[in-house]
Amino acid sequence: MLFTSHYLVDIQQDKIGRRVLNLGSVSSGNLWKQMDVLIFNTWLWWYRKGPKQGWNYIRDGKIISKDMNRMTAFTKALRTWAKWVDSSVDTRKTSVFFQGVSPAHYNGAAWGRPGVRDCSNETKPIAGGLTQSVVPLALKVQQDIIGSIRKPVHFLNITAMSYMRKDGHPASHNGLGGMDCTHWCVAGVPDTWNHILSTILIHSGKRGKESKTLPRQTLAHK
């Protein structure tokens, strides 16, 4: 089941029809906690503005504002979600996963080609791995918050592996026009993510689905 919730926290409509992103509310959780396996992911939509922004205002406690620092908002929302996991999910019957940041490739300086602004002519993976200088701040936020959750949440850290695949995006061949160095070709990188996830689920089943026997963080490296 795919449940679309770009921000994990709620977007609520106020009395005059404004869409308000509420950083302190996760009402969709009533449906989520009925599942056997939950796989969460969020970050891509947090920095989008204009027509692609899914809300008009942000609510942080009693304060409603037109906008705020997006990383701050993301951090507050993820903490709300983490509190929901600790308070509402029965991990004896529901396994919880969180997939890390899926990297985009619009900055050639990150792979030794300053001045390059997209992935259009990339045909080979990046040699080496993800260095500290290009680790997304959002990934650090995810690791810190998920690491603070008392209940077992399995972190699927696909960032380093995916970062090397600057050649794996549709680029201009996406059928929609424009340059796409954010999404991935299929078959491709997402298939590897699925292999990692399926391996963990099979392992969990063999161990009697005792999620505490699994590592809290699953690192995916090429």
Side-chain angles (χ1 to χ4, degrees):
M1 176 181 177
L2 175 63
F3 188 98
T4 302
S5 177
H6 295 313
Y7 308 98
L8 296 186
V9 293
D10 296 335
I11 295 178
Q12 301 166 334
Q13 194 168 41
D14 65 11
K15 295 179 180 179
I16 59 175
R18 299 177 304 182
R19 297 169 301 170
V20 181
L21 180 65
N22 189 341
L23 302 179
S25 176
V26 188
S27 63
S28 300
N30 292 327
L31 171 64
W32 299 343
K33 63 186 180 182
Q34 300 176 35
M35 304 299 167
D36 295 310
V37 179
L38 290 169
I39 306 167
F40 294 96
N41 168 260
T42 184
W43 167 240
L44 178 63
W45 286 81
W46 279 93
Y47 59 83
R48 295 191 172 184
K49 298 183 179 182
K52 293 185 177 181
Q53 178 178 296
W55 45 268
N56 307 114
Y57 292 85
I58 293 182
R59 182 183 183 97
D60 181 16
K62 295 182 179 180
I63 300 174
I64 297 179
S65 55
K66 187 69 176 175
D67 205 347
M68 65 185 294
N69 179 279
R70 297 302 178 88
M71 189 61 68
T72 300
F74 171 70
T75 303
K76 288 177 178 287
L78 202 58
R79 283 177 179 155
T80 296
W81 169 84
K83 290 177 182 177
W84 172 81
V85 171
D86 267 337
S87 65
S88 301
V89 179
D90 182 356
T91 53
R92 294 170 299 178
K93 69 180 186 65
T94 300
S95 297
V96 182
F97 294 83
F98 192 98
Q99 180 172 292
V101 174
S102 173
H105 291 91
Y106 289 101
N107 180 12
W111 61 87
R113 295 186 63 193
V116 172
R117 293 290 177 261
D118 58 51
C119 60
S120 58
N121 296 312
E122 303 302 328
T123 59
K124 296 180 179 179
I126 296 172
L130 184 67
T131 63
Q132 287 299 314
S133 61
V134 294
V135 172
L137 179 56
L139 176 61
K140 295 179 180 179
V141 170
Q142 290 175 349
Q143 290 174 317
D144 288 346
I145 292 176
I146 292 170
S148 71
I149 298 175
R150 296 189 304 274
K151 292 183 177 178
V153 175
H154 313 302
F155 186 57
L156 300 171
N157 191 347
I158 50 85
T159 306
M161 173 193 70
S162 306
Y163 167 76
M164 291 188 283
R165 291 300 309 278
K166 59 183 171 60
D167 60 320
H169 301 286
S172 61
H173 307 288
N174 57 13
L176 301 174
M179 183 60 58
D180 186 353
C181 301
T182 300
H183 298 92
W184 302 94
C185 296
V186 178
V189 173
D191 295 280
T192 304
W193 304 346
N194 290 338
H195 281 303
I196 294 168
L197 174 63
S198 63
T199 298
I200 296 171
L201 290 173
I202 292 170
H203 175 79
S204 177
K206 289 181 178 179
R207 299 289 287 268
K209 202 182 179 183
E210 295 179 3
S211 57
K212 289 184 179 180
T213 65
L214 294 176
R216 284 182 61 86
Q217 185 167 179
T218 301
L219 300 178
H221 298 287
K222 187 175 180 180

